[in-house]
């Protein structure tokens, strides 16, 4: 059951009725049952597999303190990481396997590789390492641990929640909280709106331009890159909003995954604002251990730790060359920015007049670097990637097309669609920024009742009219 589907809506309504109708002491059991039913709707075999793995991780963590060797814990972590690697490498080998075998490897992959394995593995590995490092005590209840590992709003696409944070909410979540429930409904509506009204509307233009970059001018290629960056963000942020909102309906607040990343003034800040749960997970369990390991090597060790971390972020999406290039590119930017940040800050401190300009063009340069990274990320082949980049840097001379041509006929006259989607995106980002300011906190809730409900109804009507053309979430494939 996909989040954007009528069967899921029916399932969610029924699940909420069952959950809040059950006695308080039984609600943990009910939530586990709901999660199992949800995951079983995708694949019953995978459900049994993940329950078995959860039990193995639960028992390993319980026996860490003095009764099981660190080598065995490392072995358990390695097995989970191996499962993750297999899931990411399978589709890279798809073409070769299809040639060598009479079976369709995609069908085999759907049977062997559990849905949402990446996020599940991250949860379990983080839990084992935190227990090993004595961040918190291992769970005493398998039911409680299972509730954490297969919590259905997060199992497919995150965000990656830590066990300690989830456990702290367990007791309070069992009581109905009207404020959380209302906020959850708002968050779901916001996520649907981002997905259906922004991301899905930009999909056609993005697909056209990226399919054959040689047909388009520099301006059109830049438009395609910009549209994809906004599409990817709106799609993934919308999915996260829905996951957090659904969690709030059951009393659990998931971690935030985005914090206005396009306002970041440098690439380090951008990655602290983008896919926060993954970035912080890798920072805690990969970057910091590497940083400590290489601390005697100065800037060389720091650079190596950064590059490894960013390459892992890239190839986490799949073992394809464009993701590797994407990771290396971001690693290079991160290293350059990190090693020069102190000197740049000192320079602008000594030149106060330039500081105002820096606040304007620093986010613009960072955003431009992110849009370029999106070209690397979106490329479906190295051939198209080469043509896309050359079409931009040569200002149209590579294709022999006028640089500033913007022919909407070639883009199926999608100009109004693009304009409306972009304007909507800017308005939503502005409203979300406003909420983060001291005076803007609870800004939306303080609007007059008529205006607020009017916006709700407009959003619902727009979603209803466009829902039939909605595609799957981009990040569901990862």
């Amino acid at each position: 059951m996909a989040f954007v589907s009528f069967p899921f809506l029916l399932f969610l309504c029924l699940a909420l009725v069952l959950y809040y109708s059950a006695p308080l002491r039984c609600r943990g059991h009910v939530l586990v049952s709901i999660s199992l039913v949800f995951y079983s709707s995708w694949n019953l075999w995978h459900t049994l597999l993940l329950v078995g793995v959860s039990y193995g991780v639960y028992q390993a963590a319980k026996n860490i303190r003095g009764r099981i060797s660190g080598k065995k814990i490392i072995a358990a972590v390695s097995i989970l990481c191996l499962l993750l690697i297999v899931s990411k490498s399978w589709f890279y080998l798809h073409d070769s396997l299809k040639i060598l075998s009479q079976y369709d490897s995609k069908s085999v992959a759907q049977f062997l590789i559990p849905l949402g394995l990446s996020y599940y593995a991250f949860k379990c590995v983080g839990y084992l390492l935190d227990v090993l490092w004595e961040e918190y005590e291992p769970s005493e209840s398998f039911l409680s641990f299972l509730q954490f590992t297969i919590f259905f709003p997060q199992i497919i696409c995150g965000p990656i929640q830590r066990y300690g944070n989830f456990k702290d909410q367990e007791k309070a979540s069992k009581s109905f909280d009207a404020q959380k429930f209302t906020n959850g409904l708002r968050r779901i509506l916001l996520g649907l709106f981002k997905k259906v009204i922004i991301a899905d509307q930009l999909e056609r233009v993005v697909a056209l331009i990226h399919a054959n970059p040689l047909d388009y001018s520099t301006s059109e290629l830049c438009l395609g890159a910009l549209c994809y960056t906004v599409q990817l963000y709106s799609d993934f942020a919308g999915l996260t909003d829905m996951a957090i909102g659904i969690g709030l309906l059951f009393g659990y607040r998931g971690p935030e995954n985005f914090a206005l990343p396009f306002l970041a003034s440098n690439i380090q800040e951008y990655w602290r604002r983008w896919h926060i749960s993954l970035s912080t997970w890798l920072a805690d369990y990969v970057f910091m251990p590497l940083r400590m390991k290489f601390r005697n090597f100065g800037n060389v060790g720091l650079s190596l730790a950064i590059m490894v971390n960013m390459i892992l972020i890239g190839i986490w999406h799949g073992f394809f060359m464009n993701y590797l290039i994407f990771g290396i590119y971001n690693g290079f930017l991160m290293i350059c920015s990190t090693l020069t940040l102190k000197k740049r800050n000192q320079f602008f401190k000594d030149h106060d007049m330039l500081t105002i300009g820096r606040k304007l063009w620093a986010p613009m340069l960072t955003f431009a670097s992110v849009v370029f990274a999106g070209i690397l990320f979106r490329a479906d082949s190295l051939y198209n990637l080469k043509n896309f980049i050359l079409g931009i840097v040569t200002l149209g001379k590579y294709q022999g097309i006028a640089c500033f041509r913007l022919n909407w006929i070639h883009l199926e006259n999608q100009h109004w669609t693009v304009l409306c989607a972009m304007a909507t995106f800017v308005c939503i980002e502005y409203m979300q920024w406003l909420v983060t300011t001291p005076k803007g906190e609870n800004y939306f809730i303080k609007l007059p009742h008529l205006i607020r409900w009017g916006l709700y109804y407009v959003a619902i009507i727009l979603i209803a009219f466009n829902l039939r053309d909605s595609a799957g979430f981009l990040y569901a494939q990862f």
Side-chain angles (χ1 to χ4, degrees), residues 247-404:
L248 285 171
L249 297 183
F250 292 90
Y252 287 91
R253 182 177 298 279
E256 295 294 335
N257 230 8
F258 297 93
L260 302 171
F262 297 151
L263 297 182
S265 58
N266 55 57
I267 197 68
Q268 305 103 294
E269 185 183 349
Y270 169 79
W271 280 106
R272 287 194 294 268
R273 292 166 173 250
W274 174 277
H275 205 341
I276 299 170
S277 63
L278 174 63
S279 298
T280 54
W281 193 98
L282 287 171
D284 291 344
Y285 302 115
V286 177
F287 173 75
M288 287 308 298
L290 286 176
R291 181 73 184 100
M292 294 302 295
K293 185 76 173 178
F294 302 142
R295 62 185 181 277
N296 295 328
F297 296 96
N299 286 338
V300 175
L302 174 61
S303 300
L304 182 59
I306 291 173
M307 184 58 76
V308 170
N309 193 65
M310 298 312 298
I311 287 176
L312 285 176
I313 287 179
I315 63 176
W316 170 80
H317 296 90
F319 289 138
F320 293 92
M321 188 58 68
N322 64 308
Y323 296 137
L324 175 61
I325 297 172
F326 171 82
I328 294 173
Y329 168 78
N330 279 283
F332 175 76
L333 291 183
M334 186 80 81
I335 290 168
C336 292
S337 183
T338 301
L339 296 183
T340 61
L341 184 60
K342 287 185 179 180
K343 291 183 179 180
R344 285 184 284 124
N345 288 340
Q346 186 60 48
F347 173 82
F348 285 104
K349 186 178 180 180
D350 296 337
H351 300 80
D352 293 339
M353 295 298 293
L354 297 176
T355 303
I356 298 176
R358 185 191 190 191
K359 292 180 179 179
L360 176 64
W361 54 256
M364 293 174 64
L365 286 176
T366 303
F367 180 69
S369 69
V370 169
V371 172
F372 184 81
I375 299 173
L376 307 177
F377 189 85
R378 175 61 172 76
D380 52 10
S381 70
L382 293 181
Y383 175 74
N384 274 354
L385 176 59
K386 178 199 72 173
N387 291 335
F388 207 113
I389 294 175
L390 286 175
I392 291 177
V393 300
T394 62
L395 299 180
K397 294 178 182 178
Y398 177 67
Q399 301 102 315
I401 302 173
C403 171
F404 295 106

Side-chain angles (χ1 to χ4, degrees), residues 143-165:
L143 177 70
S144 175
F145 181 68
L146 188 62
Q147 187 175 322
F148 159 70
T149 56
I150 65 169
F151 186 47
F152 80 94
Q154 301 172 358
I155 187 65
I156 297 177
C157 292
I160 306 166
Q161 192 160 14
R162 307 293 177 89
Y163 174 74
N165 179 265

Side-chain angles (χ1 to χ4, degrees), residues 4 85 102 209 216 239 244 268 284 293 345 399 409 415 418 443:
V4 185
I85 291 170
Q102 60 179 328
I209 295 175
Y216 299 97
L239 175 58
I244 292 174
Q268 305 103 294
D284 291 344
K293 185 76 173 178
N345 288 340
Q399 301 102 315
I409 295 177
H415 50 288
V418 171
Y443 169 81

Side-chain angles (χ1 to χ4, degrees), residues 87-292:
S87 73
K88 295 303 179 184
S89 62
W90 186 276
F91 294 102
Y92 179 75
L93 300 173
H94 169 253
D95 293 335
S96 300
L97 291 169
K98 193 173 183 180
I99 294 172
L100 297 173
S101 173
Q102 60 179 328
Y103 300 106
D104 182 1
S105 63
K106 283 189 176 179
S107 299
V108 178
Q110 290 173 355
F111 177 76
L112 292 178
I113 302 172
L115 185 73
L117 175 61
S118 297
Y119 297 94
Y120 180 83
F122 280 133
K123 277 188 173 184
C124 291
V125 170
Y127 170 74
L128 281 174
L129 292 176
D130 281 340
V131 173
L132 182 63
W133 296 339
E134 300 184 1
E135 293 293 327
Y136 42 70
E137 294 294 321
S139 175
E140 292 297 329
S141 166
F142 176 60
L143 177 70
S144 175
F145 181 68
L146 188 62
Q147 187 175 322
F148 159 70
T149 56
I150 65 169
F151 186 47
F152 80 94
Q154 301 172 358
I155 187 65
I156 297 177
C157 292
I160 306 166
Q161 192 160 14
R162 307 293 177 89
Y163 174 74
N165 179 265
F166 190 89
K167 178 68 175 177
D168 290 343
Q169 302 182 62
E170 189 172 2
K171 185 176 292 186
S173 66
K174 293 179 181 178
S175 301
F176 179 77
D177 187 324
Q179 187 62 49
K180 278 187 179 180
F181 196 89
T182 304
N183 290 339
L185 292 175
R186 287 197 193 99
R187 201 67 184 266
I188 293 171
L189 182 61
L190 176 62
L192 267 174
F193 193 83
K194 288 179 180 178
K195 163 64 177 169
V196 176
I197 305 302
I198 301 176
D200 287 345
Q201 303 309 312
L202 296 174
E203 164 62 24
R204 186 180 297 274
V205 170
V206 171
L208 285 171
I209 295 175
H210 281 78
N212 193 356
L214 287 173
D215 292 342
Y216 299 97
S217 69
T218 299
S219 298
E220 291 160 350
L221 293 175
C222 290
L223 176 67
L226 175 63
C227 286
Y228 178 67
T229 301
V230 175
Q231 179 202 4
L232 180 66
Y233 170 64
S234 300
D235 185 280
F236 193 19
L239 175 58
T240 299
D241 285 332
M242 290 191 69
I244 292 174
I246 294 168
L248 285 171
L249 297 183
F250 292 90
Y252 287 91
R253 182 177 298 279
E256 295 294 335
N257 230 8
F258 297 93
L260 302 171
F262 297 151
L263 297 182
S265 58
N266 55 57
I267 197 68
Q268 305 103 294
E269 185 183 349
Y270 169 79
W271 280 106
R272 287 194 294 268
R273 292 166 173 250
W274 174 277
H275 205 341
I276 299 170
S277 63
L278 174 63
S279 298
T280 54
W281 193 98
L282 287 171
D284 291 344
Y285 302 115
V286 177
F287 173 75
M288 287 308 298
L290 286 176
R291 181 73 184 100
M292 294 302 295

